[in-house]
Amino acid sequence: RLFNVNNEYSSVKSKLEALRNITERYDGYGNSIKRVMEQKDNTPGIVGVVADIIQVNKEYEIAVETALGGSIQNIVTDNENTAKKLINFLKKNRYGRATFLPLTTIGGKYSEFSNKEALKETGVIGLAKDLVKVHDKYSSVTNHLLGRILVVDTIDNAIAVNKKYNQSLRIVTKEGELLTPGGAMTGGAFKNSSNLLGRKRELDELSKELADINNEIALATKEETELRSVREELKTAKEDFNLQLQELYLQKNTVSMNIEQISKNLAETANAFASVNRESKELESQIEEINQN
């Protein structure tokens, strides 16, 4: 059992380390995003990309990532001064462009979703912002990016809702179809090899799995130690029994030899007794004969 669990631990650990490396290198992100995130240790004002600060259940990952679109790679900063500094950094080094979301300014003009009645329509799951988990200090970011996007279960229900509200809503479905105000529809086979939004979830899942396997290894190791102890006890007991068996064999052999000697002595005594008995009878016969004479 311990061998199998150790193999499973090695496999999960390799997956976890590979995913951590991918996450730390920001693979799947644009070059400008990578260059900015390389400055995170030197620039405390960098919070991270949008995908770093939100969590979402696997069931709604496709819908939320569709709702975010390119905004998933936006960089959140503590304030506009940090954003300005990083924009100058990109310009100076010709690393490209990036969009920054300063916490001090983002969401300042946020207006809540106005068509509240649409939330009660058939198939409507809710607003995208309500399907993600985020720290309170970053709620302005999710309100800004996801606060007016409706999530619906199927494309048929999405089309029905969109028609009812005169193509005025921005709607995403669980499978990644997108309906935008004005009537445009985007959809097809959803291909998301980078899985930007699911990386943190996968990291958490693999970390938990690794912790569970560690506990299993500890239990298996304890069991193995106990079994080794029992095996040593049985081995010692077996050696003791073997010694006792050898002593019994010696005693048996000694007794057998004694029995053989006694049997021999008994036979010799019987022969001697028979000889004396014959001589005694001969003597009695002679005495009787003398007496007669």
Side-chain angles (χ1 to χ4, degrees), residues 143-285:
N143 287 339
H144 172 72
L145 298 175
L146 303 170
R148 290 178 293 279
I149 302 176
L150 209 59
V151 179
V152 181
D153 56 358
T154 67
I155 190 169
D156 291 331
N157 286 329
I159 291 172
V161 172
N162 207 27
K163 280 183 178 179
K164 184 174 180 178
Y165 291 88
N166 301 316
Q167 285 78 37
S168 62
L169 304 177
R170 189 175 183 85
I171 302 174
V172 295
T173 68
K174 289 176 66 174
E175 292 187 354
E177 289 89 13
L178 173 66
L179 285 70
T180 55
M185 296 173 61
T186 303
F190 189 86
K191 187 176 182 181
N192 182 19
S193 57
S194 58
N195 193 26
L196 302 182
L197 200 55
R199 284 181 185 175
K200 191 173 188 305
R201 173 185 55 78
E202 288 184 14
L203 279 172
D204 292 341
E205 289 175 354
L206 287 172
S207 296
K208 184 180 182 303
E209 186 177 354
L210 203 63
D212 291 341
I213 294 174
N214 257 330
N215 292 334
E216 197 171 345
I217 287 175
L219 289 174
T221 302
K222 182 181 177 183
E223 288 178 4
E224 185 185 42
T225 302
E226 291 173 351
L227 288 173
R228 286 180 183 276
S229 178
V230 171
R231 185 180 69 179
E232 290 302 316
E233 289 176 0
L234 292 174
K235 186 178 177 181
T236 301
K238 179 184 176 184
E239 291 174 352
D240 291 342
F241 284 132
N242 284 337
L243 288 174
Q244 292 179 26
L245 192 60
Q246 288 176 4
E247 291 178 0
L248 290 173
Y249 274 128
L250 288 173
Q251 292 177 16
K252 177 189 173 185
N253 291 335
T254 301
V255 170
S256 295
M257 290 173 65
N258 289 339
I259 290 174
E260 186 180 349
Q261 185 64 41
I262 290 170
S263 297
K264 183 180 179 181
N265 292 341
L266 186 61
E268 290 177 352
T269 302
N271 291 332
F273 177 79
S275 177
V276 169
N277 193 37
R278 282 195 303 273
E279 290 179 2
S280 174
K281 286 181 179 181
E282 289 176 359
L283 289 173
E284 286 178 357
S285 177

Side-chain angles (χ1 to χ4, degrees), residues 58-176:
K58 187 175 182 180
E59 181 182 2
Y60 301 121
E61 278 179 4
I62 293 176
V64 172
E65 190 151 347
T66 301
L68 287 170
S71 300
I72 197 170
Q73 297 196 31
N74 288 358
I75 300 169
V76 181
T77 62
D78 57 350
N79 55 50
E80 58 266 39
N81 289 329
T82 301
K84 178 183 175 182
K85 185 191 301 182
L86 293 169
I87 288 172
N88 289 332
F89 165 77
L90 291 174
K91 289 169 67 175
K92 179 181 178 181
N93 294 282
R94 298 180 181 276
Y95 286 147
R97 298 166 64 85
T99 300
F100 296 89
L101 304 175
L103 292 174
T104 50
T105 59
I106 204 71
K109 297 180 180 179
Y110 169 69
S111 58
E112 290 193 4
F113 184 69
S114 57
N115 295 302
K116 300 289 187 182
E117 61 276 10
L119 295 171
K120 300 176 183 178
E121 298 293 342
T122 302
V124 174
I125 298 169
L127 291 173
K129 76 178 182 68
D130 297 325
L131 300 180
V132 302
K133 297 176 184 177
V134 64
H135 194 283
D136 290 342
K137 61 184 176 181
Y138 305 134
S139 60
S140 60
V141 174
T142 52
N143 287 339
H144 172 72
L145 298 175
L146 303 170
R148 290 178 293 279
I149 302 176
L150 209 59
V151 179
V152 181
D153 56 358
T154 67
I155 190 169
D156 291 331
N157 286 329
I159 291 172
V161 172
N162 207 27
K163 280 183 178 179
K164 184 174 180 178
Y165 291 88
N166 301 316
Q167 285 78 37
S168 62
L169 304 177
R170 189 175 183 85
I171 302 174
V172 295
T173 68
K174 289 176 66 174
E175 292 187 354

